[in-house]
């Protein structure tokens, strides 16, 4: 069941009843009060210090007055001095209490700040969950309202297919409605694109019916354009190609160039002649010349050894020189 915008707003207001939000609000109020109190303490300390200085002056004057009064006035002067001393003590205690209070506030503030951070994280989680729920609801709302645009987009596509124009081509390239639940932009280094499918490009029965309306409305124009594309310019009869005329002869140049062409049928195979090969015949048998043993005779071997010895002696003599 789809929720109205009012229901969506009401679901967002449900965050106010969350325990994490109440805890965060309480911690922030406590932290605000502590900070306001801490900011007032320095002025109170300064005021108390001025009072303490004034009382100190009065106590000094009272001490001097004790030296000048008579015996009858001595008791009254002493009571006045004691009263001033009591005020001086109370003022000093008030300054001490203010300093202690300021130190306690400054020691407690970091702990409250840490608790605020934790409570903020909990509220952020709750807010993300609530936002995801509302995102799904809004995505359904977008899908429900994009139907009319999708039918118009289908008509524009049919129009571009039948009668291409630059403006409709630019529109089809730029018209894009991403799906909220799968919307994600990808950076390529040179640009970016959204990987979400185009809701306008979805096809179903409504889009097919919309395209059919455009096709039917433009049928006379498209049929006329088809006839125009098939039309060919008039060619004079003298320039039209005639039947093919064979030139030359299939009997070879020795019979001239005006011989018959032939019937065009495949040639009749000739009868196969029997083979007359009877093998190879040599004029005379091959004569092997030389020693069949493959070894030198003793005389030849002795001559080779003498030549080798002579060569060794010449090499030795040339090395000694």
């Amino acid at each position: 069941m789809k929720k109205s915008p009012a229901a969506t707003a009401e679901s967002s207001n449900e965050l106010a009843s969350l325990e994490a939000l109440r805890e965060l609000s309480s911690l922030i109020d406590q932290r605000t009060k502590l900070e306001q109190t801490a900011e007032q303490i320095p002025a109170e300390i300064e005021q108390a210090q001025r009072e303490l200085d004034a009382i100190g002056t009065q106590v000094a004057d009272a001490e001097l007055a004790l030296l000048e009064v008579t015996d009858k006035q001595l008791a009254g002067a002493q009571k006045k001095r004691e009263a001033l001393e009591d005020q001086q003590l109370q003022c000093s205690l008030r300054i001490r209490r203010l300093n202690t209070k300021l130190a306690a506030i400054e020691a407690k503030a970091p702990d409250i700040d840490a608790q605020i951070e934790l409570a903020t994280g909990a509220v952020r989680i709750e807010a993300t969950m609530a936002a995801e729920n509302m995102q799904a609801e809004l995505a359904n709302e977008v899908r429900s309202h994009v139907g009319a645009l999708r039918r118009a987009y289908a008509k524009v596509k049919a129009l571009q297919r039948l009668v291409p124009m630059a403006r409709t081509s630019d529109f089809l390239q730029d018209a894009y409605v991403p799906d909220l639940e799968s919307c994600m932009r990808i950076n390529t280094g040179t640009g970016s694109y959204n990987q979400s499918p185009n809701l306008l490009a979805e096809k179903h029965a409504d889009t097919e019916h919309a395209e059919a309306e455009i096709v039917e409305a433009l049928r006379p124009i498209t049929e006329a354009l088809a006839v125009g594309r098939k039309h060919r310019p008039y060619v004079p009869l003298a320039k039209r190609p005639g039947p093919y005329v064979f030139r030359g002869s299939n009997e070879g140049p020795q019979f001239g160039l005006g011989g018959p062409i032939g019937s065009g049928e495949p040639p009749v195979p000739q009868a196969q002649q029997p083979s007359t090969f009877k093998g190879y015949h040599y004029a005379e048998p091959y004569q092997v010349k030389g020693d069949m043993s493959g070894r030198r005779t003793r005389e030849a071997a002795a001559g080779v050894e003498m030549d080798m010895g002579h060569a060794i002696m010449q090499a030795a003599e040339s090395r000694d020189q």
Side-chain angles (χ1 to χ4, degrees):
M1 181 178 179
K2 297 180 180 179
K3 294 184 179 181
S4 62
T8 303
E10 184 178 355
S11 63
S12 64
N13 291 333
E14 293 177 357
L15 289 174
S17 61
L18 295 175
E19 182 65 25
L21 185 60
R22 290 198 299 267
E23 182 179 358
L24 176 61
S25 178
S26 175
L27 290 171
I28 290 177
D29 291 341
Q30 183 179 356
R31 172 68 168 72
T32 302
K33 292 178 180 179
L34 285 177
E35 187 172 359
Q36 291 175 351
T37 303
E39 290 178 352
Q40 295 174 357
I41 289 177
E44 295 179 0
I45 293 176
E46 185 178 357
Q47 179 64 27
Q49 187 64 46
R50 287 197 297 266
E51 294 179 2
L52 181 62
D53 294 340
I55 294 173
T57 302
Q58 294 178 8
V59 170
D61 294 340
E63 287 291 342
L64 293 176
L66 289 176
L67 300 176
E68 298 177 355
V69 297
T70 60
D71 294 339
K72 293 181 179 180
Q73 297 173 344
L74 181 60
Q78 289 178 348
K79 290 182 179 180
K80 182 179 180 180
R81 186 191 63 182
E82 291 175 358
L84 291 173
E85 289 177 350
D86 185 59
Q87 293 178 9
Q88 188 179 27
L89 178 60
Q90 294 297 327
C91 190
S92 299
L93 291 176
R94 188 170 68 208
I95 293 175
R96 186 181 302 174
R97 285 194 299 268
L98 289 173
N99 288 323
T100 303
K101 185 177 182 180
L102 179 60
I105 291 175
E106 291 182 346
K108 187 174 181 59
D111 182 44
I112 298 178
D113 290 338
Q115 296 180 26
I116 290 175
E117 290 294 331
L118 294 176
T120 302
V123 172
R124 189 178 294 111
I125 294 174
E126 297 292 340
T128 302
M129 295 173 60
E132 289 178 351
N133 294 333
M134 287 186 288
Q135 186 184 70
E137 297 171 3
L138 293 173
N140 292 329
E141 186 176 350
V142 171
R143 297 190 194 102
S144 65
H145 287 81
V146 80
L149 290 175
R150 187 183 295 118
R151 289 189 292 271
Y153 183 82
K155 292 180 180 180
V156 175
K157 286 181 63 177
L159 177 63
Q160 178 66 9
R161 185 175 65 251
L162 298 174
V163 185
M165 292 183 292
R167 184 171 298 174
T168 52
S169 176
D170 294 342
F171 173 81
L172 292 175
Q173 292 181 13
D174 295 334
Y176 178 68
V177 177
D179 190 355
L180 179 58
E181 285 188 316
S182 60
C183 189
M184 180 181 294
R185 182 157 292 278
I186 305 299
N187 293 321
T188 61
T190 58
S192 62
Y193 69 94
N194 200 318
Q195 70 172 7
S196 172
N198 188 2
L199 296 179
L200 297 177
E202 292 183 1
K203 294 184 177 181
H204 47 74
D206 291 343
T207 59
E208 294 178 357
H209 180 70
E211 292 183 5
E213 291 180 359
I214 298 299
V215 172
E216 188 62 28
L218 295 178
R219 185 178 299 279
I221 299 175
T222 55
E223 291 179 353
L225 291 175
V227 173
R229 285 192 296 268
K230 293 179 181 179
H231 174 72
R232 297 293 180 268
Y234 177 80
V235 179
L237 297 179
K239 295 183 179 181
R240 296 180 184 180
Y244 181 75
V245 178
F246 289 97
R247 298 178 181 179
S249 172
N250 64 344
E251 295 183 0
Q254 60 179 339
F255 297 100
L257 300 176
I261 299 302
S263 61
E265 298 179 356
V268 178
Q270 298 179 359
Q272 185 175 4
Q273 299 295 331
S275 176
T276 59
F277 179 74
K278 296 181 179 181
Y280 297 99
H281 298 278
Y282 297 98
E284 59 182 7
Y286 179 75
Q287 298 292 331
V288 179
K289 299 178 181 181
D291 186 5
M292 293 298 294
S293 65
R295 293 174 294 181
R296 299 187 184 96
T297 59
R298 293 183 177 179
E299 293 78 5
V304 171
E305 291 178 356
M306 292 177 64
D307 293 339
M308 291 178 62
H310 183 66
I312 293 172
M313 293 175 64
Q314 287 182 352
E317 292 175 359
S318 62
R319 185 174 60 251
D320 294 337
Q321 292 177 359

